[in-house]
């Protein structure tokens, strides 16, 4: 009887007299003239070693594999100040261990610099470049500010057509562009008995030019200007002004020239 049978990835465990392989043959016993023997094989456990390159391995990664392990997903390693790139097996990048392994395995951890984000704020507050974490995620941070404008989010293009989702991991170095819209401020008028001009704005936004204000009308009075809450007389909303605006019409009574009034 040949006890030197071979099967790649397995260790021969002996001959058995039952198909379930629970009753091993007695080497010193007498065999009947006709008998069927069943061979039993045990998968060999092969060690998996890791070259961590200064990093720390995941506890989920296997320490042993066998020819019966099947495909095994590999988990990323960690290294402070770097992001995990991939595992390398015999010069090839892999993300899983292949099935039917019948030899010891040595994996090498490959790391790369963290992804960097550059910010273009289009006149807003300056933000320094930031690095994503080892998984490619950006930590939350305050958006920039810009006078007279409301921040609408980060975009992947200068025209602000393609929004950036901060909850998604980065896959490369990128530049983000700040999106803005003008802030609108209400304008309220106290005409003090007069009728306001329809052309006067009910709101305004930060502008580089003065915004004209038109006179109201009131019988028997001459309009002398709009007065703000600080007492300033305005004939236009000044360029660069921001915030809600309350205006009151100032009048001067027109003297009558009729004889009965003399």
């Amino acid at each position: 009887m040949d006890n030197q049978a071979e099967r790649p990835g397995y260790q021969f465990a002996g001959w058995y007299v039952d198909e379930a392989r629970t009753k091993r043959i007695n080497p010193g016993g007498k065999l009947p003239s006709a008998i069927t023997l069943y061979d039993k094989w045990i998968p060999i456990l092969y060690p998996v070693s890791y070259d961590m390159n200064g990093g720390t391995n995941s506890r989920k990664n296997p320490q042993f594999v066998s020819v019966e392990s099947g495909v095994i997903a590999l988990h990323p390693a960690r290294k402070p100040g770097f992001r995990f790139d991939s595992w390398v097996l015999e010069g090839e990048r892999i993300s899983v261990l292949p099935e039917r392994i019948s030899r010891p395995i040595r994996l090498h951890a490959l790391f790369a610099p963290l992804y960097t984000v550059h910010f273009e704020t289009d006149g807003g507050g300056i933000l320094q470049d930031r690095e994503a974490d080892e998984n490619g995620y950006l930590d939350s941070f305050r958006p920039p500010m810009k006078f007279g404008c409301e921040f609408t989010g980060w975009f992947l293009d200068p025209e602000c057509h393609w929004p950036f989702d901060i909850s998604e991991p980065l896959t490369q170095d990128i530049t983000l562009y700040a999106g803005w819209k003008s802030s609108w401020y209400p304008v309220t008028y106290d005409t003090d008995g007069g009728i306001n001009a329809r052309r006067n704005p009910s709101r305004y936004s930060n502008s580089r030019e003065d915004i004209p204000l038109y006179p109201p009308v009131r019988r028997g009075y001459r309009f002398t200007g709009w007065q703000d809450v600080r007492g300033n007389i305005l004939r236009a909303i000044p360029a660069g002004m921001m915030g809600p605006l309350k205006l009151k019409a100032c009048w001067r009574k027109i003297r009558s020239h009729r004889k009965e009034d003399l």
Side-chain angles (χ1 to χ4, degrees):
M1 184 181 300
D2 185 7
N3 288 328
Q4 303 301 319
E6 292 186 2
R7 185 180 177 188
Y10 291 88
Q11 179 181 356
F12 181 67
W15 294 101
Y16 289 75
V17 297
D18 63 321
E19 189 173 358
R21 295 165 174 81
T22 60
K23 300 177 181 179
R24 189 169 183 174
I25 190 174
N26 184 359
K30 184 177 180 180
L31 296 176
S33 57
I35 188 174
T36 299
L37 297 178
Y38 300 90
D39 56 343
K40 184 174 182 179
W41 300 88
I42 300 176
I44 300 173
L45 292 178
Y46 296 98
V48 181
S49 58
Y50 298 85
D51 176 6
M52 297 309 303
N53 192 23
T56 304
N57 199 3
S58 170
R59 294 181 179 180
K60 297 180 181 180
N61 283 329
Q63 299 300 312
F64 298 92
V65 291
S66 75
V67 72
E68 295 183 356
S69 296
V71 176
I72 301 176
L74 293 171
H75 298 270
R78 293 180 178 274
K79 185 178 181 180
F82 292 84
R83 59 181 173 83
F84 179 74
D85 192 347
S86 68
W87 291 106
V88 177
L89 174 61
E90 298 174 353
E92 181 181 353
R93 295 171 183 248
I94 63 170
S95 58
V96 298
L97 286 178
E99 59 183 349
R100 304 198 64 79
I101 294 177
S102 58
R103 68 187 189 282
I105 295 295
R106 184 168 183 80
L107 297 174
H108 299 268
L110 188 61
F111 296 94
L114 299 176
Y115 292 125
T116 300
V117 182
H118 176 71
F119 300 94
E120 292 289 344
T121 60
D122 188 25
I126 297 175
L127 294 182
Q128 299 299 322
D129 292 352
R130 301 176 70 93
E131 288 184 336
D133 64 19
E134 61 269 20
N135 296 314
Y137 291 96
L138 275 177
D139 292 333
S140 59
F141 59 96
R142 290 185 178 181
M145 298 182 64
K146 184 178 180 180
F147 285 119
C149 294
E150 180 182 343
F151 179 72
T152 60
W154 293 108
F155 294 83
L156 297 170
D157 61 307
E159 293 76 25
C160 297
H161 294 152
W162 300 98
F164 169 74
D165 186 354
I166 198 170
S167 67
E168 293 294 325
L170 301 182
T171 57
Q172 59 183 357
D173 295 342
I174 61 171
T175 296
L176 295 180
Y177 300 87
W180 304 99
K181 68 177 181 180
S182 296
S183 297
W184 289 91
Y185 308 103
V187 184
T188 55
Y189 301 87
D190 177 3
T191 59
D192 191 21
I195 300 175
N196 200 4
R198 292 183 178 181
R199 291 185 293 174
N200 278 332
S202 60
R203 61 175 187 164
Y204 76 100
S205 64
N206 186 24
S207 174
R208 295 181 180 179
E209 298 180 354
D210 290 352
I211 301 172
L213 290 172
Y214 299 93
V217 293
R218 181 182 179 187
R219 179 174 294 182
Y221 290 83
R222 178 180 296 109
F223 176 72
T224 60
W226 291 104
Q227 186 180 62
D228 65 14
V229 294
R230 295 183 178 181
N232 300 313
I233 299 299
L234 303 179
R235 297 190 180 275
I237 300 175
M241 190 171 186
M242 293 181 292
L245 187 59
K246 293 183 178 181
L247 299 175
K248 182 177 181 180
C250 296
W251 304 99
R252 178 181 297 169
K253 188 174 179 61
I254 301 174
R255 291 186 177 183
S256 175
H257 296 287
R258 292 180 301 174
K259 290 182 179 180
E260 56 269 32
D261 293 333
L262 295 178

